Amino acid sequence: MSGMALSMAAGDLPELTTGRLLTVWRPDAAALLLTVVLGGLYAWGVVRLRRRGERWPLPRIAAFALLGLGSLAVATMSALAVYDTELFWPAAVQNVLLDLIAPLGLALGDPLRLGMLALPEHGAGRLRRAMGGRLVRFLTFPLVSTVLVLGSELCIYFTPYFESALRHGPLHELMYLQLLLAGSLFVLPVLTREEALPAWCTHPVRAALVFLDGLIDAVPGIVVMTHGTLIAGAWYLHHAPAWAPDVQHDQQLGGGAMVSIAELVSLPFLLAVLVQWSRADRAQRAVLDRRLDAELAPAAPVGGRPEDAELVRPWWETDGGAVGQRMRPRRPGD
């Protein structure tokens, strides 16, 4: 392992094999701090609820920790981060993890609702006001957030931004954060903050937007894969190791990985929205059923007089007309 670290420090990385892809890791201070802070706050909320005798769903905890924080750690500290300055395709996979998969995992954990429940009343009020502010509502407006995600990726790959980030570590960290925030602006409101969405953004509309977003997310990968000009070509031509594939082929691999991951993520995202739609529909029907039961329940006679019960019975049970006769249930022998 020391030999591996020495060769990495010297900039002469060994060939990226499947084994190294799974086992090579390098800590990233900024990403590690963000992961610890997010995980610590989430764990604090879960523990606080349990102390009050309430339980937070285990699937939500798993989604937040494994899919959300796990994707963040893999993108910034695994072999993808170690080799992203030598090969284009690990950098492309990194970026997709940060702006698609990690936000999806964090949103499925529903951290905002957890915060509302765990915080004291005044703290929850501040969080609610912050999330309902004009700037947040504008940035999380579905069409705006979709444009931000698409614009962010196109800006990274088709301006000097990406190559500059490869040269300067702090700018690289800023790019990580930008991708994570841009993805979260779209995913979090759709899955966790329904009140942050406009009234017209019903569950069918949300499902359509998620489907459309899945198509849009594939656009950067298609452009990267088919683009004739090398992305950060001067950098990768200079830093590509001898064992690496042709730089143009490397870029095509990265674009193909972006398209594949984007399409794979769109399916569980759409399924999550459809599950929410189904639950909301069942809850609405249950409310309507209880209201109808309350309206149609026979009332007790007032003052003990049986004739008063006739006043509160449904009209079709006492109506002698043809309509009332048709609406009353037929008894055997009628």
Side-chain angles (χ1 to χ4, degrees), residues 14-39:
E15 183 177 359
L16 180 56
T17 61
T18 303
R20 291 192 179 101
L21 184 62
L22 298 175
T23 59
V24 173
W25 289 78
R26 181 178 63 194
D28 181 294
L32 186 60
L33 177 62
L34 179 61
T35 303
V36 170
V37 169
L38 292 177

Side-chain angles (χ1 to χ4, degrees), residues 266-319:
S266 64
L267 180 58
F269 192 4
L270 182 59
L271 287 176
V273 173
L274 294 178
V275 168
Q276 282 191 339
W277 183 3
S278 175
R279 289 176 178 173
D281 185 60
R282 288 201 302 269
Q284 186 177 16
R285 278 185 290 156
V287 171
L288 291 175
D289 289 343
R290 286 195 298 268
R291 183 181 300 174
L292 287 173
D293 290 343
E295 291 177 356
L296 299 179
V302 180
R305 295 179 302 171
E307 61 272 15
D308 289 337
E310 299 294 326
L311 301 177
V312 295
R313 292 174 63 191
W315 64 269
W316 61 80
E317 291 189 5
T318 57
D319 181 76

Side-chain angles (χ1 to χ4, degrees), residues 5 7 11 22 40 46 48 58 102 120 124 131-132 151 169 174 226 245 247 251 253 255 263-264 273-274 281:
S7 63
L22 298 175
V46 173
R48 187 173 175 84
L58 186 59
M131 291 297 102
L174 183 62
T226 59
V247 177
Q251 182 170 311
L253 290 175
E263 294 310 304
L264 287 174
V273 173
L274 294 178
D281 185 60

Side-chain angles (χ1 to χ4, degrees), residues 155-169:
C155 175
I156 286 173
Y157 292 119
F158 301 104
T159 69
Y161 184 7
F162 182 55
E163 187 166 348
S164 299
L166 294 173
R167 296 179 184 276
H168 305 288

Side-chain angles (χ1 to χ4, degrees), residues 72-106:
L72 176 58
V74 168
T76 57
M77 291 181 279
S78 73
L80 297 175
V82 174
Y83 282 83
D84 65 349
T85 56
E86 309 288 323
L87 298 169
F88 175 81
W89 76 259
V93 173
Q94 254 187 322
N95 295 345
V96 175
L97 288 175
L98 288 170
D99 75 350
L100 288 179
I101 298 182
L104 179 61
L106 296 176

Side-chain angles (χ1 to χ4, degrees), residues 126-142 144-145 148 185 189 193 195-198:
R126 289 179 181 176
L127 179 60
R128 192 177 296 108
R129 288 191 296 271
M131 291 297 102
R134 290 185 179 181
L135 179 60
V136 174
R137 292 179 70 88
F138 172 74
L139 293 176
T140 56
F141 187 77
V144 173
S145 57
L148 285 176
L185 285 174
R193 291 284 295 161
E195 61 271 27
L197 298 172

